[in-house]
């Protein structure tokens, strides 16, 4: 009599080793599953809890401030999992075809089959151009933070932080604590909106108090904070870079502040390229004026076997990403017929509802400055990779009738550079919408394409098959 065939363990792949990816990994390992964890970074932690390079000895308090405890707990949790997972750092997930994930590690490409894929790809900066933002010395908030955490370096001797959202104040406070000269924090959102959003912001009183504490620390350090401003121009010379930033105050006065670097950002946007390549559906969020991949409360996407967790699906913050990572892993286990405690699922769902309410408050308190796109001068660069100006993009609309962003991309080359529209896509859509006089949701979004980031020419190929 033939022996019964034992079904192989499911091959579960997780992309990302930030808060969502680490907690998803932990949940799967606890249930006896050995997942494959793909991490583009050299070490785990993601962006918010990015680890310093090997050999650096800065304390958790100096690196992460009020989030030091959470960062250390996340790092220790992942360290404890290392011998029970297939961890692949410095590996780029660059494409998806059906049930296969395509990877690049060093000079080698490979493809790994999966039964379930958890995309925990995190988020990147959301940017609105300003005249002169293509000068040397202008960085995104995320880039400024990476320089500080990964290289123990600052982006300039005298830095202005401009944009809106909690990250603006966090990175400015981190720079101040590190001893850098913060010339000013310039926020496009009026303070009154924060007061108006309080009923939703108090959903997370601990986070609200941390935000207030950050602001107080900046003020006690003598750092100027201006709210309700309108960016005018970042001035400088090619041989020097940034020299001055000009802005209009809430009362209409035009002011200038001397600086040699600017950190710019308006919240975060999910890294959705992999979800796009997996053919997940997307929906438009009217409050934040951007498209998010469709998922259910537990993280299931519209495509069977593909799951979305953390800021790569919806930007709710690091705490929410940890909860979402756990919940998504439980959904994977449940769908694969593994036992899951319903009380754990219910508890995580309740937590995420609180995070979602708080997200609505943040979006209302620090709105995306959509109207700024219509006011951009003709010579303002929108796409820094391809050096495409607002005037050139508007010409694609007026001369060629390109009122859909991918059609405008074909005519103007906006979004065709190395970042593939990550940093210019949202602003480009707003410019097109304003020029055409149509809603921004009708303009659409730049479609993700493989490879999601540049590949090494001549990389060798190696394909893995599921057991």
């Amino acid at each position: 009599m033939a022996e019964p065939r034992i079904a192989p363990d499911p091959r579960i792949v997780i992309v990302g080793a930030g808060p969502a990816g680490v907690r998803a990994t932990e949940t799967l390992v606890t249930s006896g599953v050995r997942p494959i964890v793909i991490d583009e970074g050299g070490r785990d932690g993601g962006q918010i809890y990015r680890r310093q390079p090997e050999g650096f000895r800065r304390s958790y308090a100096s690196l992460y401030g009020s989030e030091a405890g959470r960062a250390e707990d996340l790092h220790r949790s992942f360290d404890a999992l290392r011998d029970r997972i297939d961890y692949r750092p410095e590996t780029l997930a660059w494409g998806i075809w059906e049930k296969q994930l395509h990877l690049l590690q060093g000079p080698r490409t490979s493809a790994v089959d999966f039964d379930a894929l958890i995309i925990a790809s995190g988020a990147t900066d959301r940017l609105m151009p300003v005249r002169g933002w293509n000068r040397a010395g202008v960085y995104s908030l995320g880039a400024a933070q990476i320089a500080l955490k990964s290289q123990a370096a600052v982006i300039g001797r005298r830095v202005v932080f401009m944009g809106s959202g909690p990250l603006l104040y966090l990175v400015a406070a981190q720079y101040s604590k590190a001893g850098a000269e913060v010339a000013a924090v310039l926020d496009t959102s009026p303070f009154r909106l924060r007061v108006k959003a309080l009923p939703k912001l108090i959903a997370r009183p601990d986070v609200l108090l941390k935000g207030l504490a950050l602001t107080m620390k900046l003020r006690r350090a003598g750092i100027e904070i201006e709210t309700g401003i309108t960016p005018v121009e970042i001035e400088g010379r090619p041989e020097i870079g940034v020299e001055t930033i000009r802005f209009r105050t809430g009362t209409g006065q035009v002011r200038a502040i001397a600086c040699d670097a600017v950190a710019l950002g308006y919240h975060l946007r999910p890294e959705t390229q992999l979800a796009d390549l997996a053919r997940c559906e997307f929906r438009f969020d009217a409050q934040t004026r951007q498209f998010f991949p469709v998922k259910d409360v537990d993280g299931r996407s519209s495509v069977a076997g593909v799951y979305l967790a953390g800021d790569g699906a919806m930007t709710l913050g690091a705490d929410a990403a940890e909860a979402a990572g756990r919940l998504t892993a439980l959904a994977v286990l449940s769908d694969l017929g593994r036992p899951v405690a319903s009380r754990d699922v219910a508890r995580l769902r309740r937590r995420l509802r609180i995070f979602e309410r708080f997200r609505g408050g943040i979006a209302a308190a620090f709105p995306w400055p959509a109207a700024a796109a219509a006011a951009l001068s003709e010579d303002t660069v929108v796409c820094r990779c391809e050096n495409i100006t607002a005037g050139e993009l508007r010409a694609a609309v007026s001369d060629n009738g390109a009122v859909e962003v991918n059609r405008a991309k074909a005519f103007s080359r906006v979004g065709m550079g190395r970042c593939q529209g990550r940093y210019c896509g949202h602003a480009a859509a707003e410019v097109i919408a304003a020029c055409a006089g149509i809603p921004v949701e009708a303009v659409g979004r730049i479609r993700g394409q493989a490879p999601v980031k540049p590949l090494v020419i001549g990389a060798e190929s190696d394909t893995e098959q599921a057991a």
Side-chain angles (χ1 to χ4, degrees):
M1 185 174 180
E3 291 287 330
R5 185 174 184 273
I6 300 175
D9 286 337
R11 176 168 282 200
I12 303 175
V13 179
I14 300 171
V15 177
V22 170
R23 296 309 180 194
T25 301
E26 186 177 48
T27 302
L28 293 174
V29 169
T30 300
S31 297
V33 175
R34 181 182 175 89
I36 299 172
V37 180
I38 307 301
D39 187 3
E40 190 175 348
R43 302 185 74 189
D44 59 283
Q47 167 65 358
I48 188 67
Y49 298 137
R50 178 180 292 271
R51 286 196 176 193
Q52 58 190 323
E54 296 282 1
F56 281 55
R57 294 292 180 265
R58 289 171 292 168
S59 68
Y60 273 87
S62 65
L63 273 175
Y64 307 105
S66 62
E67 299 303 304
R70 285 190 173 276
E72 188 169 12
D73 180 64
L74 192 81
H75 295 163
R76 286 181 175 175
S77 296
F78 193 76
D79 288 343
L81 299 169
R82 291 288 291 270
D83 62 350
R84 291 183 285 172
I85 63 175
D86 182 354
Y87 178 48
R88 307 185 189 185
E90 297 183 334
T91 301
L92 170 68
W94 61 265
I96 298 174
W97 179 251
E98 295 182 343
K99 290 283 188 175
Q100 199 170 69
L101 182 69
H102 294 267
L103 310 171
L104 174 70
Q105 185 176 45
R108 298 189 67 83
T109 63
S110 62
V112 57
D113 295 338
F114 60 84
D115 297 300
L117 173 67
I118 298 177
I119 300 175
S121 48
T124 55
D125 295 273
R126 195 179 188 194
L127 299 170
M128 175 62 74
V130 56
R131 194 169 190 266
W133 78 308
N134 53 316
R135 294 189 185 280
V138 181
Y139 297 76
S140 70
L141 288 172
Q145 193 178 52
I146 289 172
L148 194 63
K149 289 181 178 179
S150 291
Q151 301 164 14
V154 294
I155 61 173
R157 293 182 299 274
R158 182 174 165 81
V159 186
V160 167
F161 291 82
M162 184 169 73
S164 194
L167 187 62
L168 177 72
Y169 294 87
L170 174 62
V171 183
Q174 288 172 337
Y175 264 61
S176 177
K177 186 173 182 178
E181 182 181 359
V182 177
V185 176
L186 307 178
D187 191 336
T188 57
S189 64
F191 183 77
R192 58 180 170 77
L193 295 183
R194 270 161 260 189
V195 178
K196 189 176 179 180
L198 272 176
K200 289 186 177 180
L201 293 176
I202 59 175
R204 299 192 64 195
D206 57 329
V207 179
L208 178 58
L209 289 173
K210 284 180 183 178
L212 292 173
L214 280 179
T215 304
M216 292 305 296
K217 284 181 181 178
L218 290 168
R219 292 194 184 280
R220 282 198 299 268
I223 296 168
E224 178 183 2
I225 299 176
E226 282 273 0
T227 61
I229 68 100
T230 301
V232 174
E233 184 175 2
I234 299 170
E235 300 172 323
R237 288 173 286 173
E239 66 274 17
I240 294 176
V242 173
E243 294 180 293
T244 309
I245 188 166
R246 288 196 300 121
F247 63 97
R248 186 173 293 106
T249 67
T251 58
Q253 176 189 7
V254 176
R255 291 186 53 203
I257 295 178
C259 59
D260 65 352
V262 176
L264 185 67
Y266 298 85
H267 301 287
L268 298 170
R269 52 163 294 279
E271 278 277 29
T272 59
Q273 284 79 9
L274 288 177
D276 208 356
L277 294 180
R279 301 185 179 181
C280 297
E281 293 179 12
F282 281 70
R283 67 171 180 82
F284 182 75
D285 181 67
Q287 186 179 29
T288 59
R289 298 175 69 89
Q290 62 182 311
F291 287 88
F292 292 116
V294 173
K295 67 178 184 67
D296 71 8
V297 67
D298 297 332
R300 298 176 182 88
S301 78
S302 59
V303 176
V306 177
Y307 301 78
L308 308 169
D311 283 353
M314 174 73 73
T315 48
L316 298 176
D319 297 354
E322 291 190 50
R326 290 189 175 100
L327 185 59
T328 302
L330 292 175
V332 171
L333 291 169
S334 177
D335 292 348
L336 293 174
R338 299 293 181 98
V340 169
S342 58
R343 64 179 179 278
D344 291 339
V345 173
R347 174 178 55 83
L348 290 166
R349 286 175 177 173
R350 286 194 299 270
R351 288 202 69 199
L352 285 172
R353 283 196 292 269
I354 294 172
F355 292 130
E356 177 59 33
R357 180 172 175 79
F358 183 77
R359 183 192 78 92
I362 289 293
F366 304 97
W368 163 248
L376 293 176
S377 63
E378 293 287 280
D379 63 346
T380 296
V381 171
V382 175
C383 173
R384 299 205 305 182
C385 294
E386 294 292 309
N387 200 36
I388 306 302
T389 65
E392 290 173 301
L393 187 53
R394 288 168 183 145
V397 177
S398 58
D399 297 348
N400 299 298
V403 297
E404 192 274 329
V405 68
N406 292 286
R407 184 169 172 78
K409 174 182 174 181
F411 280 110
S412 69
R413 293 191 60 81
V414 70
M416 282 193 181
R418 287 176 61 87
C419 85
Q420 296 193 14
R422 283 177 174 84
Y423 298 115
C424 66
H426 287 190
E430 296 286 4
V431 171
I432 294 167
C435 182
I438 60 176
V440 71
E441 58 267 36
V443 175
R445 59 187 178 84
I446 293 179
R447 290 187 294 269
Q449 296 184 19
V452 299
K453 291 183 180 178
L455 298 183
V456 176
I457 294 176
E460 299 176 15
S461 178
D462 181 26
T463 300
E464 303 174 42
Q465 299 295 327

